[in-house]
Amino acid sequence: MAETRTTRERIRREAAALFRERGFNGTSMAELASAVGVTKSSLYHHFPSKQALLSEIIELTVSRVTPLVRAVAEMDLPVSERLGRAVVLHTVEAIRDQDALACFVEEGRYLAPDFMETHLANRDTYEQLFRRIFEEGIESGDFMEQDGGIAVKAILGMCNSVVRWYRPDGSRSPDEIASQFAHFAVRGAIASRAPAPSERRSPT
Amino acid sequence: MAETRTTRERIRREAAALFRERGFNGTSMAELASAVGVTKSSLYHHFPSKQALLSEIIELTVSRVTPLVRAVAEMDLPVSERLGRAVVLHTVEAIRDQDALACFVEEGRYLAPDFMETHLANRDTYEQLFRRIFEEGIESGDFMEQDGGIAVKAILGMCNSVVRWYRPDGSRSPDEIASQFAHFAVRGAIASRAPAPSERRSPT
DNA sequence: TCCGTAACCGTCCGGCCGTTCGGTTGACTA
DNA sequence: TAGTCAACCGAACGGCCGGACGGTTACGGA
C-alpha cells in the first residue's frame, strides 16, 4: 500500500531533521517544502497536516525501537546485563536515528490532544520496559533500593541528551558513548558491597 | 535603574513559565501579555524584544546558580563528595527554579546569534565546573577511567530531565530526587573493583 | 504650576503562518 | 481513445505574528 520510498519518505526525513534543529514551531511548511524540493501544496498531498506529519515521524520510530528493547528486556540474562544492553541499544538507536528520536523526546509535547493520546501511550509502554528491568533488579537485590520510576527517568534523560550534543565528527563513536552510558547506568543501579553514597577515597 | 520588583519581574516570571510549557516559538507576546495582565505594548516598554526577554531569563538564572556550584566545586572535600553535592545543588535548583532552568536547557537554542554567543559561553563555564571535578577524580584514581566530557553531559542530561517530568504533587520531594541522582552519579563515577558488566569496549 | 519621566495602552502594520482549492501533468488501464 | 488516479503546483485565504508609534495617566521635584 503505502509506497514509502520516494517523496513521502523524503518529506518525513527532512521534516524530522528540521523539527529537530529548529523545533516544530520554529519550522514552517514553506521551509520544509523548499528543503524537500517541492511546493508547500505538495506536502499536503502526502500529509493531512503538520501535526499529522510530526505524529507519524514519532510513531514510526517508536514502533521500530520498542520491539528491539522488548527483545532485550525478555532475554534470559542477569538483570544488570539486560539493563546494560537496553541502555546500549537505546543510545545507539538514539544516535543512529537522531532526528526522529529528537522529535520523539523534544517535540512530541507539541502534539495536539488527538495525537497526544497515542504518543503518551507509546512513551509509557516504552518506559515500562526499562521500569520492569529495574524493579526486577531491586526485588532480586541486584540493584540498590530506590525509586524505580525516577531511576528510569534518570537513565533515559541521560541517554536522550545525546540528541542535543552528539556530533558525528566528535572524538567518540556511538558505540563508545553507548557503552560508557551503560557502564554508568549499571554501576549506578547495582547494589555494591563496597562503599555507597557519600564517602571518601577508596583505600583498598 | 532597573527596579526589578513589580511588572518587569512578573513579565519575566510568566514568560519563563509559558516558554517552558509551550516553547519559545509556541508562545506569542499576546498570550504572555494577557497572562501578565497587561497589553502587548507594555511588554515592549520593559523589554526591547522577545529574544531579549528570553535571554535575560536565562542569564539571570545562570548567573545565580553558577557561583553556587563553583563554591561547592572549590570546597576542600573528596572529589566524590563534591560531585555528589554539585549534583544535589544543581537538581534542587533545577526543580526550585524549573521554568527558568527549562528555558536555559530547552529554549536557549532559539536565541539569535547576538544572544547565542553569551549563552554558549555561560553554558560552557557552567559545564566546566562539573568537568573539572570529574577530571580531578579520574586523575586521582577515585573515578573510573572515562571520557570526562561525556560523563558531564550524561550527568547534566540526567539532572536536567527533571524539568520535563517533575510534578510538585509527585510522590518524591525535590530533596529525595536530588539525592537519588547524586547517589546514582557518584556510584556511576567512582572506580570500584566490581568487574564491568557489559559486552564490549573499555578504555586503554 | 510646570515639566520630566516611567508605566502603560490602543491601534495599526507588513509579513508570514498553516491550510485550501482548483487546476495540470503523465503513467497506467481497458 | 478515453478514463482513472496519484503526484504535484500556483495562487490565494483569513488569521495571527512580532513589533512600531503616538498617545494618556500618575507622580515627583523645582
Side-chain angles (χ1 to χ4, degrees), chain B residues 52-88:
Chain B
L53 173 53
L54 173 59
S55 176
E56 189 174 309
I57 290 169
I58 293 175
E59 264 192 75
L60 225 65
T61 280
V62 172
S63 66
R64 186 179 67 80
V65 178
T66 301
L68 299 179
V69 174
R70 176 170 289 122
V72 168
E74 289 171 352
M75 277 178 168
D76 186 21
L77 290 167
V79 273
S80 65
E81 181 70 25
R82 270 180 286 151
L83 176 63
R85 288 198 192 193
V87 168
V88 166

Side-chain angles (χ1 to χ4, degrees), chain A residues 17-198:
Chain A
L18 284 173
F19 289 168
R20 177 191 170 209
E21 87 177 43
R22 308 189 193 191
F24 179 70
N25 286 318
T27 305
S28 75
M29 293 299 267
E31 285 172 326
L32 172 57
S34 113
V36 178
V38 297
T39 61
K40 225 177 6 159
S41 323
S42 301
L43 263 30
Y44 284 89
H45 173 73
H46 297 281
F47 297 91
S49 70
K50 198 185 179 188
Q51 287 271 338
L53 173 53
L54 174 59
S55 176
E56 189 175 309
I57 290 169
I58 294 175
E59 264 191 77
L60 224 63
T61 280
V62 172
S63 66
R64 185 179 65 81
V65 177
T66 301
L68 299 179
V69 175
R70 176 170 289 120
V72 168
E74 289 172 352
M75 278 177 166
D76 187 21
L77 291 167
V79 272
S80 65
E81 182 68 24
R82 270 180 286 152
L83 176 64
R85 289 198 189 193
V87 168
V88 166
L89 176 59
H90 178 87
T91 307
V92 166
E93 290 300 327
I95 292 176
R96 185 195 343 257
D97 200 4
Q98 275 180 83
D99 296 333
L101 247 296
C103 288
F104 173 54
V105 174
E106 316 242 33
E107 310 300 326
R109 66 203 186 103
Y110 299 122
L111 285 170
D114 331 6
F115 299 101
M116 186 61 92
E117 215 172 329
T118 311
H119 171 61
L120 291 181
N122 287 341
R123 205 193 57 181
D124 283 351
T125 300
Y126 191 73
E127 291 189 359
Q128 277 300 323
L129 295 175
F130 282 84
R131 180 134 188 193
R132 254 178 245 128
I133 296 178
F134 238 97
E135 279 167 356
E136 192 186 323
I138 294 172
E139 242 173 73
S140 70
D142 291 293
F143 291 175
M144 291 261 311
E145 280 285 338
Q146 60 193 301
D147 187 307
I150 291 178
V152 169
K153 293 288 190 186
I155 288 178
L156 290 180
M158 170 182 77
C159 295
N160 290 334
S161 75
V162 295
V163 303
R164 278 198 224 121
W165 53 262
Y166 174 80
R167 295 289 173 274
D169 56 329
S171 61
R172 300 292 176 171
S173 72
D175 282 350
E176 287 175 313
I177 295 170
S179 137
Q180 185 166 339
F181 278 5
H183 283 127
F184 207 90
V186 171
R187 283 204 310 275
I190 59 173
S192 64
R193 293 117 204 72
S198 64

